[in-house]
Amino acid sequence: MRTRVIGREARYVATGGRRVVVIDDDPSIREVAALALTAVGGHEVHTAGDGAEGLEVARRVRPDAILLDVMMPVHDGPAVLGRLRALPELRDVPVVFLTAKVGTKDISRLDGVGAVAVITKPFDPLGLAGELAAVLGWDA
Amino acid sequence: MTGSPDESTDGWDDALRVLAGRAHMRNRVRAQRIAELLSAPWERDTAVREEAARLCHTVAGSAATFGEPGLAEAGLLLETALREGRDHDVMPALDVLRSRAGGARSPEA
């Protein structure tokens, strides 16, 4: 695995797999998700710390999927998803929410916003790539 | 770092350990920030309450992911107290959070 750090964005390059953008305001979650998705999933991972940066990264790298935190300052996950859907080049990119908020009211709010699925925190780093593959229908 | 979890996990475990240490330190800083926010009059300040609750949420998610369930629980309890308006529970919950976030990370059972 090669790692290049470009500004605040870390790019983890593996030997194959899909291209995934991870958007989360917690650097620890970005780090462990990127490690898990490259080391276990073999994916190329780009990370971003907020919605604005995430949109910029996604427009540039054209990912196969976006893992998006729900609770972020300024623009939360659903708001970022709305912006993604307004961009023709990103409209069809599958988005999976990543969140610790999984009460009934929270799920109701996330339902119908347009994400493919919700992965809850805490997640098992060893299992994240498999979970993502399962919800997106990728070969694990 | 190789791609198969069936191969030696030493590198993987070491990497996770490093990330867990960083996460703990970040949560410690968040706990300090939460305490700062709640040291001034906060009960009627919606913005402060929301920022404190959001930080608690981050602590809870991060701590749970990196194997600190006690700290995660403390974050969740304080977040819930703030969001549900249970103001009398906030300071005791903050004390617990600071206690569990402070100091070097110790493995939890």
Short mmCIF file of all heavy atoms in Angstrom, two decimals, chain A residues 55-120:
data_model
loop_
_atom_site.label_atom_id
_atom_site.label_comp_id
_atom_site.label_asym_id
_atom_site.label_seq_id
_atom_site.Cartn_x
_atom_site.Cartn_y
_atom_site.Cartn_z
N LEU A 55 -17.02 17.21 -1.48
CA LEU A 55 -17.55 17.45 -2.82
C LEU A 55 -16.42 17.72 -3.81
O LEU A 55 -16.42 17.21 -4.94
CB LEU A 55 -18.51 18.64 -2.79
CG LEU A 55 -19.87 18.38 -2.15
CD1 LEU A 55 -20.63 19.67 -1.95
CD2 LEU A 55 -20.70 17.43 -3.01
N GLU A 56 -15.45 18.49 -3.35
CA GLU A 56 -14.31 18.81 -4.21
C GLU A 56 -13.54 17.55 -4.57
O GLU A 56 -13.20 17.31 -5.73
CB GLU A 56 -13.41 19.79 -3.45
CG GLU A 56 -12.16 20.25 -4.17
CD GLU A 56 -11.23 20.99 -3.20
OE1 GLU A 56 -11.73 21.74 -2.34
OE2 GLU A 56 -10.01 20.80 -3.31
N VAL A 57 -13.28 16.71 -3.57
CA VAL A 57 -12.55 15.46 -3.80
C VAL A 57 -13.35 14.53 -4.72
O VAL A 57 -12.82 13.95 -5.66
CB VAL A 57 -12.24 14.76 -2.46
CG1 VAL A 57 -11.71 13.35 -2.69
CG2 VAL A 57 -11.24 15.58 -1.65
N ALA A 58 -14.64 14.42 -4.46
CA ALA A 58 -15.49 13.52 -5.25
C ALA A 58 -15.55 13.97 -6.71
O ALA A 58 -15.50 13.14 -7.62
CB ALA A 58 -16.88 13.43 -4.65
N ARG A 59 -15.64 15.25 -6.93
CA ARG A 59 -15.70 15.75 -8.31
C ARG A 59 -14.41 15.45 -9.05
O ARG A 59 -14.41 15.17 -10.24
CB ARG A 59 -15.94 17.26 -8.32
CG ARG A 59 -17.32 17.65 -7.84
CD ARG A 59 -17.54 19.12 -7.90
NE ARG A 59 -17.92 19.55 -9.24
CZ ARG A 59 -18.39 20.76 -9.51
NH1 ARG A 59 -18.50 21.66 -8.57
NH2 ARG A 59 -18.74 21.07 -10.73
N ARG A 60 -13.31 15.48 -8.30
CA ARG A 60 -12.00 15.26 -8.93
C ARG A 60 -11.74 13.78 -9.21
O ARG A 60 -11.25 13.42 -10.26
CB ARG A 60 -10.90 15.86 -8.06
CG ARG A 60 -9.49 15.71 -8.62
CD ARG A 60 -8.53 16.69 -7.94
NE ARG A 60 -8.70 16.71 -6.50
CZ ARG A 60 -8.22 15.80 -5.67
NH1 ARG A 60 -7.58 14.76 -6.14
NH2 ARG A 60 -8.42 15.90 -4.37
N VAL A 61 -12.06 12.91 -8.25
CA VAL A 61 -11.65 11.50 -8.41
C VAL A 61 -12.74 10.61 -8.98
O VAL A 61 -12.44 9.48 -9.38
CB VAL A 61 -11.15 10.90 -7.07
CG1 VAL A 61 -10.08 11.78 -6.45
CG2 VAL A 61 -12.28 10.68 -6.09
N ARG A 62 -14.01 11.08 -9.01
CA ARG A 62 -15.13 10.31 -9.56
C ARG A 62 -15.16 8.91 -8.93
O ARG A 62 -14.89 7.91 -9.59
CB ARG A 62 -15.04 10.19 -11.08
CG ARG A 62 -14.96 11.54 -11.78
CD ARG A 62 -16.24 12.34 -11.61
NE ARG A 62 -16.14 13.64 -12.22
CZ ARG A 62 -16.50 13.92 -13.48
NH1 ARG A 62 -17.00 12.95 -14.24
NH2 ARG A 62 -16.36 15.12 -13.96
N PRO A 63 -15.54 8.84 -7.66
CA PRO A 63 -15.48 7.55 -6.95
C PRO A 63 -16.57 6.57 -7.39
O PRO A 63 -17.57 6.95 -8.00
CB PRO A 63 -15.70 7.97 -5.50
CG PRO A 63 -16.55 9.19 -5.59
CD PRO A 63 -16.07 9.92 -6.82
N ASP A 64 -16.33 5.32 -7.02
CA ASP A 64 -17.35 4.28 -7.21
C ASP A 64 -18.34 4.27 -6.07
O ASP A 64 -19.44 3.70 -6.18
CB ASP A 64 -16.68 2.91 -7.31
CG ASP A 64 -15.75 2.83 -8.51
OD1 ASP A 64 -16.25 3.00 -9.63
OD2 ASP A 64 -14.53 2.63 -8.31
N ALA A 65 -17.98 4.86 -4.95
CA ALA A 65 -18.87 4.96 -3.80
C ALA A 65 -18.36 6.03 -2.85
O ALA A 65 -17.17 6.37 -2.87
CB ALA A 65 -18.97 3.62 -3.07
N ILE A 66 -19.27 6.54 -2.05
CA ILE A 66 -18.92 7.54 -1.04
C ILE A 66 -19.45 7.06 0.30
O ILE A 66 -20.62 6.68 0.42
CB ILE A 66 -19.54 8.91 -1.38
CG1 ILE A 66 -18.91 9.44 -2.68
CG2 ILE A 66 -19.31 9.90 -0.24
CD1 ILE A 66 -19.59 10.69 -3.23
N LEU A 67 -18.56 7.07 1.29
CA LEU A 67 -18.93 6.75 2.66
C LEU A 67 -19.04 8.09 3.38
O LEU A 67 -18.06 8.84 3.46
CB LEU A 67 -17.83 5.88 3.29
CG LEU A 67 -18.14 4.99 4.47
CD1 LEU A 67 -19.31 4.09 4.21
CD2 LEU A 67 -16.91 4.16 4.81
N LEU A 68 -20.22 8.41 3.88
CA LEU A 68 -20.52 9.78 4.32
C LEU A 68 -21.03 9.80 5.76
O LEU A 68 -22.06 9.19 6.09
CB LEU A 68 -21.57 10.38 3.38
CG LEU A 68 -22.11 11.78 3.66
CD1 LEU A 68 -20.99 12.82 3.67
CD2 LEU A 68 -23.15 12.14 2.62
N ASP A 69 -20.32 10.51 6.61
CA ASP A 69 -20.75 10.68 7.99
C ASP A 69 -22.03 11.51 8.03
O ASP A 69 -22.22 12.41 7.21
CB ASP A 69 -19.62 11.37 8.77
CG ASP A 69 -19.92 11.51 10.25
OD1 ASP A 69 -20.68 10.68 10.80
OD2 ASP A 69 -19.38 12.45 10.86
N VAL A 70 -22.89 11.21 8.98
CA VAL A 70 -24.14 11.95 9.07
C VAL A 70 -23.96 13.24 9.86
O VAL A 70 -24.35 14.33 9.43
CB VAL A 70 -25.24 11.08 9.72
CG1 VAL A 70 -26.48 11.92 10.04
CG2 VAL A 70 -25.62 9.95 8.78
N MET A 71 -23.37 13.14 11.04
CA MET A 71 -23.29 14.30 11.91
C MET A 71 -21.97 15.01 11.72
O MET A 71 -20.94 14.55 12.23
CB MET A 71 -23.49 13.90 13.37
CG MET A 71 -23.53 15.09 14.30
SD MET A 71 -24.22 14.71 15.91
CE MET A 71 -25.94 14.75 15.56
N MET A 72 -22.00 16.08 10.98
CA MET A 72 -20.82 16.91 10.76
C MET A 72 -21.23 18.37 10.97
O MET A 72 -22.40 18.72 10.76
CB MET A 72 -20.28 16.74 9.33
CG MET A 72 -19.72 15.36 9.05
SD MET A 72 -18.91 15.25 7.43
CE MET A 72 -20.31 15.41 6.32
N PRO A 73 -20.30 19.21 11.36
CA PRO A 73 -20.64 20.63 11.54
C PRO A 73 -20.89 21.32 10.20
O PRO A 73 -20.47 20.83 9.16
CB PRO A 73 -19.39 21.21 12.22
CG PRO A 73 -18.28 20.29 11.84
CD PRO A 73 -18.89 18.93 11.68
N VAL A 74 -21.58 22.41 10.24
CA VAL A 74 -21.93 23.25 9.08
C VAL A 74 -22.91 22.53 8.15
O VAL A 74 -24.07 22.87 8.09
CB VAL A 74 -20.67 23.73 8.30
CG1 VAL A 74 -21.08 24.71 7.20
CG2 VAL A 74 -19.69 24.41 9.24
N HIS A 75 -22.44 21.56 7.41
CA HIS A 75 -23.32 20.78 6.53
C HIS A 75 -23.30 19.32 6.96
O HIS A 75 -22.26 18.68 6.89
CB HIS A 75 -22.88 20.90 5.07
CG HIS A 75 -22.86 22.30 4.55
ND1 HIS A 75 -24.01 23.06 4.44
CD2 HIS A 75 -21.85 23.09 4.14
CE1 HIS A 75 -23.69 24.26 3.98
NE2 HIS A 75 -22.39 24.31 3.79
N ASP A 76 -24.45 18.81 7.39
CA ASP A 76 -24.47 17.41 7.83
C ASP A 76 -24.55 16.48 6.63
O ASP A 76 -24.64 16.93 5.48
CB ASP A 76 -25.59 17.17 8.84
CG ASP A 76 -26.99 17.34 8.24
OD1 ASP A 76 -27.10 17.53 7.02
OD2 ASP A 76 -27.96 17.29 9.01
N GLY A 77 -24.55 15.20 6.90
CA GLY A 77 -24.54 14.21 5.84
C GLY A 77 -25.67 14.36 4.84
O GLY A 77 -25.44 14.40 3.63
N PRO A 78 -26.91 14.43 5.31
CA PRO A 78 -28.02 14.60 4.36
C PRO A 78 -27.90 15.86 3.50
O PRO A 78 -28.24 15.83 2.31
CB PRO A 78 -29.24 14.67 5.28
CG PRO A 78 -28.86 13.82 6.45
CD PRO A 78 -27.39 14.11 6.66
N ALA A 79 -27.40 16.94 4.06
CA ALA A 79 -27.22 18.16 3.28
C ALA A 79 -26.15 17.96 2.20
O ALA A 79 -26.30 18.39 1.06
CB ALA A 79 -26.83 19.33 4.19
N VAL A 80 -25.07 17.28 2.56
CA VAL A 80 -24.01 17.00 1.59
C VAL A 80 -24.54 16.08 0.50
O VAL A 80 -24.26 16.27 -0.69
CB VAL A 80 -22.78 16.37 2.28
CG1 VAL A 80 -21.74 15.94 1.26
CG2 VAL A 80 -22.17 17.35 3.27
N LEU A 81 -25.34 15.10 0.89
CA LEU A 81 -25.92 14.19 -0.10
C LEU A 81 -26.79 14.96 -1.09
O LEU A 81 -26.76 14.70 -2.30
CB LEU A 81 -26.74 13.11 0.61
CG LEU A 81 -27.45 12.09 -0.28
CD1 LEU A 81 -26.48 11.43 -1.25
CD2 LEU A 81 -28.14 11.03 0.56
N GLY A 82 -27.55 15.92 -0.59
CA GLY A 82 -28.36 16.75 -1.48
C GLY A 82 -27.51 17.48 -2.51
O GLY A 82 -27.87 17.57 -3.69
N ARG A 83 -26.39 17.99 -2.06
CA ARG A 83 -25.49 18.70 -2.98
C ARG A 83 -24.88 17.74 -4.00
O ARG A 83 -24.70 18.10 -5.17
CB ARG A 83 -24.38 19.38 -2.20
CG ARG A 83 -24.90 20.53 -1.36
CD ARG A 83 -23.78 21.22 -0.63
NE ARG A 83 -24.25 22.48 -0.07
CZ ARG A 83 -23.47 23.48 0.25
NH1 ARG A 83 -22.18 23.39 0.08
NH2 ARG A 83 -23.98 24.59 0.76
N LEU A 84 -24.55 16.53 -3.54
CA LEU A 84 -24.01 15.53 -4.47
C LEU A 84 -25.02 15.22 -5.57
O LEU A 84 -24.68 15.11 -6.74
CB LEU A 84 -23.67 14.24 -3.72
CG LEU A 84 -22.39 14.22 -2.90
CD1 LEU A 84 -22.38 13.01 -1.96
CD2 LEU A 84 -21.17 14.19 -3.80
N ARG A 85 -26.26 15.07 -5.18
CA ARG A 85 -27.30 14.67 -6.14
C ARG A 85 -27.59 15.79 -7.14
O ARG A 85 -28.15 15.55 -8.20
CB ARG A 85 -28.59 14.29 -5.39
CG ARG A 85 -28.46 13.01 -4.58
CD ARG A 85 -28.19 11.79 -5.44
NE ARG A 85 -27.95 10.58 -4.68
CZ ARG A 85 -26.78 9.95 -4.65
NH1 ARG A 85 -25.74 10.43 -5.30
NH2 ARG A 85 -26.64 8.82 -3.96
N ALA A 86 -27.19 17.01 -6.80
CA ALA A 86 -27.41 18.13 -7.72
C ALA A 86 -26.32 18.23 -8.77
O ALA A 86 -26.44 19.01 -9.73
CB ALA A 86 -27.47 19.43 -6.92
N LEU A 87 -25.26 17.45 -8.62
CA LEU A 87 -24.15 17.48 -9.58
C LEU A 87 -24.32 16.33 -10.57
O LEU A 87 -24.29 15.16 -10.17
CB LEU A 87 -22.82 17.35 -8.84
CG LEU A 87 -22.48 18.47 -7.86
CD1 LEU A 87 -21.24 18.13 -7.06
CD2 LEU A 87 -22.27 19.79 -8.63
N PRO A 88 -24.46 16.61 -11.85
CA PRO A 88 -24.69 15.55 -12.84
C PRO A 88 -23.63 14.45 -12.80
O PRO A 88 -23.94 13.27 -12.95
CB PRO A 88 -24.67 16.30 -14.17
CG PRO A 88 -25.00 17.70 -13.84
CD PRO A 88 -24.44 17.95 -12.47
N GLU A 89 -22.38 14.86 -12.60
CA GLU A 89 -21.29 13.88 -12.63
C GLU A 89 -21.24 13.00 -11.39
O GLU A 89 -20.56 11.98 -11.38
CB GLU A 89 -19.94 14.58 -12.84
CG GLU A 89 -19.50 15.46 -11.68
CD GLU A 89 -19.98 16.91 -11.79
OE1 GLU A 89 -21.10 17.14 -12.31
OE2 GLU A 89 -19.25 17.80 -11.33
N LEU A 90 -21.97 13.38 -10.35
CA LEU A 90 -21.93 12.59 -9.11
C LEU A 90 -23.31 12.07 -8.71
O LEU A 90 -23.44 11.35 -7.70
CB LEU A 90 -21.36 13.42 -7.96
CG LEU A 90 -19.91 13.88 -8.11
CD1 LEU A 90 -19.51 14.77 -6.94
CD2 LEU A 90 -18.96 12.69 -8.18
N ARG A 91 -24.30 12.40 -9.51
CA ARG A 91 -25.67 12.08 -9.14
C ARG A 91 -25.89 10.59 -8.88
O ARG A 91 -26.69 10.21 -8.03
CB ARG A 91 -26.61 12.55 -10.24
CG ARG A 91 -28.07 12.32 -9.95
CD ARG A 91 -28.98 12.97 -10.98
NE ARG A 91 -28.33 13.20 -12.24
CZ ARG A 91 -28.49 14.31 -12.96
NH1 ARG A 91 -29.26 15.28 -12.55
NH2 ARG A 91 -27.88 14.45 -14.12
N ASP A 92 -25.21 9.75 -9.65
CA ASP A 92 -25.47 8.31 -9.55
C ASP A 92 -24.46 7.56 -8.71
O ASP A 92 -24.49 6.32 -8.64
CB ASP A 92 -25.51 7.70 -10.96
CG ASP A 92 -26.65 8.28 -11.78
OD1 ASP A 92 -27.73 8.53 -11.20
OD2 ASP A 92 -26.47 8.50 -12.99
N VAL A 93 -23.55 8.27 -8.06
CA VAL A 93 -22.57 7.59 -7.21
C VAL A 93 -23.28 7.11 -5.94
O VAL A 93 -23.93 7.91 -5.25
CB VAL A 93 -21.42 8.54 -6.83
CG1 VAL A 93 -20.48 7.86 -5.83
CG2 VAL A 93 -20.66 8.98 -8.07
N PRO A 94 -23.19 5.83 -5.64
CA PRO A 94 -23.87 5.34 -4.43
C PRO A 94 -23.23 5.93 -3.18
O PRO A 94 -22.01 6.01 -3.06
CB PRO A 94 -23.68 3.82 -4.49
CG PRO A 94 -22.54 3.60 -5.41
CD PRO A 94 -22.52 4.74 -6.37
N VAL A 95 -24.09 6.34 -2.26
CA VAL A 95 -23.63 6.92 -1.00
C VAL A 95 -24.12 6.05 0.15
O VAL A 95 -25.29 5.66 0.21
CB VAL A 95 -24.17 8.35 -0.83
CG1 VAL A 95 -23.83 8.89 0.57
CG2 VAL A 95 -23.59 9.27 -1.91
N VAL A 96 -23.21 5.73 1.04
CA VAL A 96 -23.53 4.97 2.24
C VAL A 96 -23.29 5.87 3.44
O VAL A 96 -22.19 6.40 3.60
CB VAL A 96 -22.67 3.69 2.34
CG1 VAL A 96 -22.95 2.97 3.65
CG2 VAL A 96 -22.94 2.78 1.15
N PHE A 97 -24.30 6.05 4.27
CA PHE A 97 -24.13 6.85 5.47
C PHE A 97 -23.37 6.05 6.52
O PHE A 97 -23.51 4.83 6.64
CB PHE A 97 -25.48 7.24 6.06
CG PHE A 97 -26.11 8.43 5.42
CD1 PHE A 97 -27.45 8.41 5.05
CD2 PHE A 97 -25.39 9.59 5.20
CE1 PHE A 97 -28.05 9.51 4.46
CE2 PHE A 97 -25.98 10.69 4.60
CZ PHE A 97 -27.31 10.65 4.23
N LEU A 98 -22.58 6.78 7.29
CA LEU A 98 -21.84 6.21 8.40
C LEU A 98 -22.25 7.02 9.64
O LEU A 98 -22.07 8.24 9.68
CB LEU A 98 -20.34 6.38 8.13
CG LEU A 98 -19.33 5.70 9.02
CD1 LEU A 98 -19.49 4.20 8.97
CD2 LEU A 98 -17.94 6.07 8.56
N THR A 99 -22.85 6.35 10.62
CA THR A 99 -23.36 7.14 11.73
C THR A 99 -23.50 6.32 13.01
O THR A 99 -23.72 5.12 12.96
CB THR A 99 -24.73 7.74 11.38
OG1 THR A 99 -25.18 8.56 12.46
CG2 THR A 99 -25.78 6.68 11.13
N ALA A 100 -23.41 7.02 14.12
CA ALA A 100 -23.68 6.39 15.40
C ALA A 100 -25.13 6.61 15.80
O ALA A 100 -25.61 6.01 16.74
CB ALA A 100 -22.76 6.96 16.49
N LYS A 101 -25.84 7.46 15.06
CA LYS A 101 -27.23 7.77 15.40
C LYS A 101 -28.13 6.75 14.70
O LYS A 101 -28.35 6.85 13.50
CB LYS A 101 -27.60 9.17 14.95
CG LYS A 101 -26.93 10.26 15.76
CD LYS A 101 -27.43 11.63 15.35
CE LYS A 101 -28.75 11.98 15.99
NZ LYS A 101 -28.65 12.29 17.42
N VAL A 102 -28.62 5.79 15.43
CA VAL A 102 -29.45 4.77 14.79
C VAL A 102 -30.74 4.52 15.57
O VAL A 102 -31.27 3.44 15.58
CB VAL A 102 -28.68 3.45 14.61
CG1 VAL A 102 -27.70 3.56 13.48
CG2 VAL A 102 -28.00 3.05 15.90
N GLY A 103 -31.23 5.54 16.22
CA GLY A 103 -32.55 5.41 16.84
C GLY A 103 -33.62 5.44 15.76
O GLY A 103 -33.36 5.77 14.61
N THR A 104 -34.84 5.11 16.13
CA THR A 104 -35.93 5.03 15.15
C THR A 104 -36.14 6.35 14.43
O THR A 104 -36.31 6.39 13.21
CB THR A 104 -37.24 4.63 15.85
OG1 THR A 104 -37.01 3.47 16.63
CG2 THR A 104 -38.33 4.34 14.84
N LYS A 105 -36.12 7.43 15.19
CA LYS A 105 -36.34 8.74 14.58
C LYS A 105 -35.22 9.05 13.59
O LYS A 105 -35.47 9.64 12.53
CB LYS A 105 -36.34 9.82 15.66
CG LYS A 105 -37.70 10.10 16.27
CD LYS A 105 -37.66 11.40 17.06
CE LYS A 105 -38.02 11.15 18.50
NZ LYS A 105 -38.00 12.36 19.31
N ASP A 106 -33.99 8.67 13.95
CA ASP A 106 -32.86 8.97 13.08
C ASP A 106 -32.95 8.19 11.78
O ASP A 106 -32.70 8.72 10.70
CB ASP A 106 -31.55 8.62 13.80
CG ASP A 106 -31.44 9.34 15.13
OD1 ASP A 106 -31.63 10.56 15.15
OD2 ASP A 106 -31.18 8.67 16.14
N ILE A 107 -33.29 6.92 11.87
CA ILE A 107 -33.41 6.10 10.67
C ILE A 107 -34.53 6.64 9.79
O ILE A 107 -34.41 6.71 8.57
CB ILE A 107 -33.67 4.62 11.02
CG1 ILE A 107 -32.46 4.01 11.72
CG2 ILE A 107 -34.04 3.84 9.78
CD1 ILE A 107 -31.25 3.89 10.84
N SER A 108 -35.62 7.07 10.40
CA SER A 108 -36.73 7.63 9.63
C SER A 108 -36.27 8.85 8.86
O SER A 108 -36.66 9.07 7.71
CB SER A 108 -37.88 8.04 10.55
OG SER A 108 -38.40 6.90 11.19
N ARG A 109 -35.45 9.65 9.50
CA ARG A 109 -34.95 10.85 8.84
C ARG A 109 -34.03 10.49 7.67
O ARG A 109 -34.06 11.13 6.62
CB ARG A 109 -34.20 11.70 9.86
CG ARG A 109 -33.68 12.99 9.25
CD ARG A 109 -32.91 13.83 10.25
NE ARG A 109 -32.23 14.90 9.52
CZ ARG A 109 -30.95 15.17 9.63
NH1 ARG A 109 -30.20 14.49 10.45
NH2 ARG A 109 -30.40 16.15 8.93
N LEU A 110 -33.20 9.47 7.86
CA LEU A 110 -32.25 9.09 6.82
C LEU A 110 -32.92 8.34 5.67
O LEU A 110 -32.46 8.40 4.53
CB LEU A 110 -31.13 8.23 7.41
CG LEU A 110 -30.24 8.92 8.44
CD1 LEU A 110 -29.21 7.95 9.00
CD2 LEU A 110 -29.54 10.12 7.82
N ASP A 111 -34.00 7.64 6.00
CA ASP A 111 -34.74 6.94 4.95
C ASP A 111 -35.25 7.94 3.94
O ASP A 111 -35.80 8.98 4.28
CB ASP A 111 -35.97 6.22 5.56
CG ASP A 111 -35.60 4.82 6.01
OD1 ASP A 111 -34.52 4.35 5.66
OD2 ASP A 111 -36.42 4.22 6.73
N GLY A 112 -35.13 7.63 2.70
CA GLY A 112 -35.68 8.49 1.68
C GLY A 112 -34.82 9.68 1.34
O GLY A 112 -35.17 10.47 0.47
N VAL A 113 -33.68 9.87 2.03
CA VAL A 113 -32.80 10.99 1.69
C VAL A 113 -31.99 10.66 0.43
O VAL A 113 -31.57 11.55 -0.28
CB VAL A 113 -31.86 11.29 2.89
CG1 VAL A 113 -30.84 12.34 2.54
CG2 VAL A 113 -32.69 11.77 4.06
N GLY A 114 -31.83 9.38 0.16
CA GLY A 114 -31.16 9.02 -1.09
C GLY A 114 -29.92 8.18 -0.94
O GLY A 114 -29.25 7.88 -1.92
N ALA A 115 -29.57 7.81 0.29
CA ALA A 115 -28.41 6.94 0.45
C ALA A 115 -28.81 5.49 0.19
O ALA A 115 -29.97 5.12 0.31
CB ALA A 115 -27.84 7.08 1.86
N VAL A 116 -27.82 4.70 -0.15
CA VAL A 116 -28.06 3.29 -0.43
C VAL A 116 -28.26 2.51 0.86
O VAL A 116 -29.08 1.58 0.92
CB VAL A 116 -26.86 2.70 -1.21
CG1 VAL A 116 -26.98 1.20 -1.34
CG2 VAL A 116 -26.76 3.36 -2.57
N ALA A 117 -27.51 2.87 1.88
CA ALA A 117 -27.56 2.11 3.13
C ALA A 117 -26.95 2.95 4.24
O ALA A 117 -26.42 4.04 4.01
CB ALA A 117 -26.78 0.81 2.98
N VAL A 118 -27.05 2.42 5.45
CA VAL A 118 -26.44 3.05 6.62
C VAL A 118 -25.54 2.02 7.28
O VAL A 118 -25.98 0.90 7.56
CB VAL A 118 -27.51 3.51 7.63
CG1 VAL A 118 -26.86 4.09 8.87
CG2 VAL A 118 -28.44 4.53 6.99
N ILE A 119 -24.30 2.38 7.51
CA ILE A 119 -23.40 1.54 8.30
C ILE A 119 -23.24 2.23 9.64
O ILE A 119 -22.97 3.42 9.71
CB ILE A 119 -22.03 1.38 7.61
CG1 ILE A 119 -22.18 0.53 6.34
CG2 ILE A 119 -21.02 0.73 8.56
CD1 ILE A 119 -20.89 0.32 5.57
N THR A 120 -23.45 1.47 10.70
CA THR A 120 -23.44 2.09 12.02
C THR A 120 -22.05 2.07 12.64
O THR A 120 -21.24 1.20 12.39
CB THR A 120 -24.42 1.37 12.96
OG1 THR A 120 -24.03 -0.01 13.07
CG2 THR A 120 -25.83 1.44 12.42
#
